[in-house]
Amino acid sequence: MIAVRLEKEPTSGHSQARIDSRVGAALIATSGHGDEEHNIQGQNIEPTPELTTYNIKLGWIQGVLIPCLLNIWGVMLFLRISWIVGQAGICLTVLIIFLSGVVCVITTLSLSAICTNGLLKGGGVYYIVSRSLGAELGASVGIIFAFANAVAASMNTIGFCESLNDLLKYFDVKIIDNGMNDVRIVGTIALFVMSVISAFGMDWETKAQNFLVVIIVVAILNYILGACLGPTNNSERAQGFVGISVETALINLGPDFRYSDNQQHNFFSIFAMYFPAVTGVQAGANICGDLRSPATAIPKGTLLALGLSMFSYLVMAVLCGSGALRDASGNITDVTSGTIDACIPNCQYGLHNNYEIMQLMAQSSAFIYAGCWAATLSTALTNLLSVPRLIQALGVDRIYPGLIFFSKPYGKHGEPYRGYVLTFFVSLVFLLIADLNTIAPLITNFYLASYALINFCTFHAGLIQSISWRPTFRFYNTWLSLFGFLICIFIMMIISWAMALVTFFIFMTMYLLVLYRKPDVNWGSSTDAQRYKDTVSALIQMSHMHENIKSYNPQLLVLAGRPNNRPALLDMGHLITKLGSFMMVADVNEEPISQIERVGRLQAGEEWLLSRKDRGFYVVLDGLPFEMGVHAVIKSTGLGSLRPNIMLIGYMNRWSRCAVTSVRTYVRVLQLAFEEQLGVSILRVPETARPVKAQVTRSAHELRAHHHVQDLLFADSDADLPYYERSNDEAQSSHPELGIVVKENVASFHDSDPNKHTPVSSLSMRKSGVYKPLTFSSDNDLDAWWLYDDGGLNILLPYIIARRGFTEKMPLRLFALTRDCNDIQVSEKQIKILLQKFRIEYSSLIMIQGINEPPLQASVEYFNQLIKKFRTDFGSDILISDAELERLSNKTNRHLRLRELLIEHSYMASFIVLTLPYPRLGSVSATLYMSWLEVLSKDLPPMLFVRGNDENVLSV
């Protein structure tokens, strides 16, 4: 998302800005150029048009002070402050106002610090928290705050309806009952009209702010004047307005909590009723980008608004407590007899019983009605306008998919009309409750949760002290913000622990949803800074720790080049490292590449790993011969103990047709890895596919027959020869010009479903861009040939692949060698004890005999034919001399015999893990070593050669 501010000179003599000073317009611009269209989850979103603002910035009075006052002077000022005094008394009411003020002042200081730490755009509290603490917390708080504002719109609308009902009752006019039903009817109409005005007709609203503030101020002064002048007749005295006196103040000084609205009230329930009155401190932050000087405007305007509103609430509370009785009968005869409150507990008038006593005490009740309507309707309009903008900000950031539909912009100002519809219906649901005393405590928890998170943002950012935390507002304190966070949580729990738990549950649900979706956003939040610091600290701590065999994890260096060229290699790396480990994917280039190309390759590699959810890092090295480049990568990759300990490389399938110098380089890379104390793994995936298991089950048993083994010894995977006798209806795709025949693979390499027959060669896959990953299931067999003790790596990796790489366990068959047939039971028992000691699970253990028997003559002839063109008459580290062949004849025969055993026992396996022959430097030539690997893996299922560095990796 690219958010821009487009400024435009006024086209007329009027310089008045069309800027919503309550919530601020969410500035949403096209992410492309020209007439490109947005597409949000399949929706064709028209490009957002120019958002016209003016180049005259708002000052702190018009931009912060007045919006905050209009938000704070709401329904409580005229309809509930007298009832609060009746319940809590003058002293506790002052304490409630003071406590609310402390929470709001601390939150304002925290908010000011965040608002001045960089440029803010539309989205209000959501934008502030998400850019400070991250998308998870920001989105969660944004949803809670949007919900609280939608309910607050209902509360203020109900306040307007109650005041209107009282006026209609005075003139003996009603719709149905002058009660809840009338509130629902009038409230629905008023809510609909205000929603329409918010969506289409808000140009006049900013201009009307000054007029609305004047009405409310006049109403307050009108009340103060009337209270000071006192009652004008006995009728007013009979209804509880007896005039300001010390005696009345002393009577009302203490609390008188009573049962009302289905609950017994106390200090915190009354606090919950009052707190929504002071939930307007965020009004200035919502238009931070439109302020001339946010660093001074927000704290100055908000704090002054808090001061004025707190003072006005205090004055009105004291006047109520000093000039009116808690209970009054309304009978004039009781005035002369001095028994006004004799009606207790069935009185109809007084602070406890009459919400309209302020109209009674005022000099003119008309001004009180006007002030009440101005305060409630303006605040409701603010709420109805802010929620769709907040929803739009969430949709543009693509945090919650369900909100994207409601964030579609319309018109020249990008109005979220769908968001207005959603807000209307949410507000309507709570408006139908039609009871102000029920709704007010409900939203208190949500506002307190929002304020708690604002304070926590500032505390967290100040505590972490990331480099980007540089607010221009200095009058905040990290620990004061922490106190504000704790006091908000404490008040939430005291007011209603059940409602606090519900709020926490909603918050955690929204948080975990975003955490699970992992949106692709990076806003430089303080949580990112903390994660960075924690990671660095952990790395440094781990670098000083002594390595322990129990903490061993396979950490791979994968020589894959460009990831899309060798996806099977990355599949294997992912299977090994997917639970708790990592891999370094290296792209080594002999030719120098430009910086632009390097960055492009790095980005493409990282995106490839991310798209496949591989736990790895991608590195690019260029300008060095391959051998030197790999050596440099081995020495330089990793940090501290988080460095590769296994090199994973693909098998050189074309070694017999490549330049012999390339073969030497390949073998030399393996030797370098062993020299640097790395384990080595080589993955060979057959270039041609193999028959499905069901089709060759019968032949698998026949393979043990001598003539079938001979046939397989001569099979050439690059020749147009079948592996088995095919029926007429079995499909086969041949490419005679390439020497490739395509069949189904017994392992689920190209498809995890063996019933699907989709013949695709490796070459055609690369050309078409289609690739099916290397996967296995519980129906496949993994054969591990444990030939030598290399520290346990050649038994640990197959265990990881079989047990930890999949949701279901894969059968693991272990093959071990025994030299003496008389000791086979003893050897088997010893190996079982060893495997039990190391807690290695397996499905079967097979002891192999005859490894030292001479190979079949067919095997020898096949090998001689394989190395024929690599023979030489003189010593060489590449070609095969007669002396070398004679010297290593026993090893060669052993490998040929091992091939026969592999064909006999593991030909039908889905995957084979085999101990890698050690490429001792100066002892074996490159082509002879590759010949050994060729005979051990040719025409067999996918195979992983493994050889450790003789360090123990298995713990007891």
Side-chain angles (χ1 to χ4, degrees), residues 347-639:
C347 299
Q348 297 182 358
Y349 297 95
L351 297 176
H352 266 301
N353 312 295
N354 184 16
Y355 294 139
E356 297 81 39
I357 196 169
M358 291 190 68
Q359 285 87 330
L360 181 67
M361 298 177 66
Q363 182 66 23
S364 172
S365 60
F367 284 106
I368 298 298
Y369 282 115
C372 180
W373 296 350
T376 54
L377 294 179
S378 64
T379 305
L381 276 171
T382 296
N383 294 324
L384 291 173
L385 189 62
S386 65
V387 176
R389 295 294 183 180
L390 196 153
I391 293 174
Q392 188 176 47
L394 283 164
V396 170
D397 286 343
R398 307 179 67 85
I399 302 299
Y400 295 113
L403 296 181
I404 296 177
F405 173 81
F406 298 100
S407 65
K408 182 179 179 179
Y410 291 90
K412 65 178 182 178
H413 294 295
E415 296 289 347
Y417 291 145
R418 295 176 180 177
Y420 286 114
V421 175
L422 176 64
T423 305
F424 168 76
F425 281 107
V426 172
S427 300
L428 181 62
V429 169
F430 289 90
L431 183 138
L432 296 178
I433 297 175
D435 185 3
L436 192 63
N437 293 357
T438 301
I439 294 180
L442 181 66
I443 65 175
T444 296
N445 266 278
F446 292 109
Y447 276 119
L448 282 170
S450 303
Y451 290 176
L453 264 295
I454 292 174
N455 285 296
F456 183 77
C457 286
T458 305
F459 163 72
H460 192 268
L463 184 66
I464 297 301
Q465 285 296 328
S466 63
I467 298 176
S468 62
W469 178 247
R470 301 187 301 274
T472 57
F473 179 76
R474 302 297 181 185
F475 302 100
Y476 76 96
N477 183 272
T478 302
W479 303 108
L480 186 62
S481 297
L482 175 62
F483 175 75
F485 166 74
L486 295 176
I487 195 173
C488 288
I489 299 298
F490 174 76
I491 294 173
M492 286 176 61
M493 297 300 297
I494 294 298
I495 290 175
S496 173
W497 63 268
M499 196 63 210
L501 290 179
V502 171
T503 305
F504 178 77
F505 176 77
I506 296 174
F507 171 80
M508 287 305 301
T509 301
M510 298 293 102
Y511 176 86
L512 293 175
L513 180 60
V514 180
L515 190 66
Y516 173 77
R517 292 191 67 251
K518 296 180 180 177
D520 186 17
V521 294
N522 183 10
W523 296 320
S525 63
S526 60
T527 51
D528 294 334
Q530 182 181 18
R531 192 177 298 114
Y532 173 80
K533 285 190 174 183
D534 292 343
T535 302
V536 172
S537 300
L539 287 173
I540 294 175
Q541 184 178 4
M542 289 185 65
S543 66
H544 297 299
M545 292 175 59
H546 296 289
E547 294 185 2
N548 189 289
I549 187 174
K550 291 186 177 181
S551 61
Y552 176 84
N553 278 294
Q555 299 165 179
L556 304 184
L557 172 61
V558 185
L559 300 182
R562 295 191 178 186
N564 56 324
N565 290 341
R566 297 174 180 85
L569 202 61
L570 293 182
D571 281 341
M572 181 52 56
H574 176 63
L575 291 178
I576 296 173
T577 61
K578 67 181 296 185
L579 293 178
S581 189
F582 69 95
M583 57 181 170
M584 304 288 298
V585 183
D587 181 7
V588 180
N589 303 272
E590 294 188 347
E591 297 295 329
I593 60 177
S594 65
Q595 178 64 18
I596 296 178
E597 185 178 356
R598 182 197 304 275
V599 172
R601 287 196 182 187
L602 280 172
Q603 184 177 0
E606 291 169 355
E607 290 178 353
W608 174 274
L609 296 177
L610 181 63
S611 65
R612 294 157 48 95
K613 298 182 179 180
D614 290 346
R615 297 169 60 91
F617 308 92
Y618 190 75
V619 295
V620 177
L621 185 68
D622 65 287
L624 290 175
F626 186 76
E627 179 182 335
M628 295 179 61
V630 172
H631 200 189
V633 170
I634 292 175
K635 285 183 171 293
S636 61
T637 52
L639 291 173

Side-chain angles (χ1 to χ4, degrees), residues 99-206:
L99 182 59
S100 301
V102 169
V103 172
C104 291
V105 168
I106 294 176
T107 304
T108 299
L109 297 178
S110 300
L111 190 65
S112 300
I114 300 174
C115 290
T116 58
N117 188 54
L119 179 64
L120 296 182
K121 302 179 181 68
V125 172
Y126 156 69
Y127 190 94
I128 292 170
V129 179
S130 63
R131 269 56 176 182
S132 300
L133 281 181
E136 297 88 353
L137 290 173
S140 306
V141 175
I143 289 293
I144 291 176
F145 194 76
F147 182 75
N149 275 353
V151 179
S154 304
M155 183 187 73
N156 282 280
T157 305
I158 292 173
F160 161 74
C161 295
E162 283 191 3
S163 178
L164 181 62
N165 268 357
D166 293 335
L167 182 62
L168 294 177
K169 188 185 299 184
Y170 178 80
F171 291 102
D172 197 22
V173 176
K174 65 179 181 179
I175 300 175
I176 296 178
D177 56 2
N178 265 135
M180 286 189 174
N181 291 323
D182 284 10
V183 169
R184 293 181 180 119
I185 294 173
V186 176
T188 301
I189 298 173
L191 196 64
F192 177 78
V193 172
M194 287 187 292
S195 297
V196 172
I197 292 175
S198 299
F200 297 104
M202 285 305 296
D203 285 341
W204 61 270
E205 197 271 344
T206 299

Side-chain angles (χ1 to χ4, degrees), residues 248-260:
T248 305
L250 291 175
I251 294 175
N252 295 331
L253 197 62
D256 183 23
F257 297 118
R258 297 184 185 179
Y259 185 86
S260 177

Side-chain angles (χ1 to χ4, degrees), residues 306-319:
L306 279 172
L308 291 174
S309 58
M310 294 302 104
F311 178 75
S312 61
Y313 275 110
L314 286 172
V315 170
M316 298 181 76
V318 172
L319 291 177

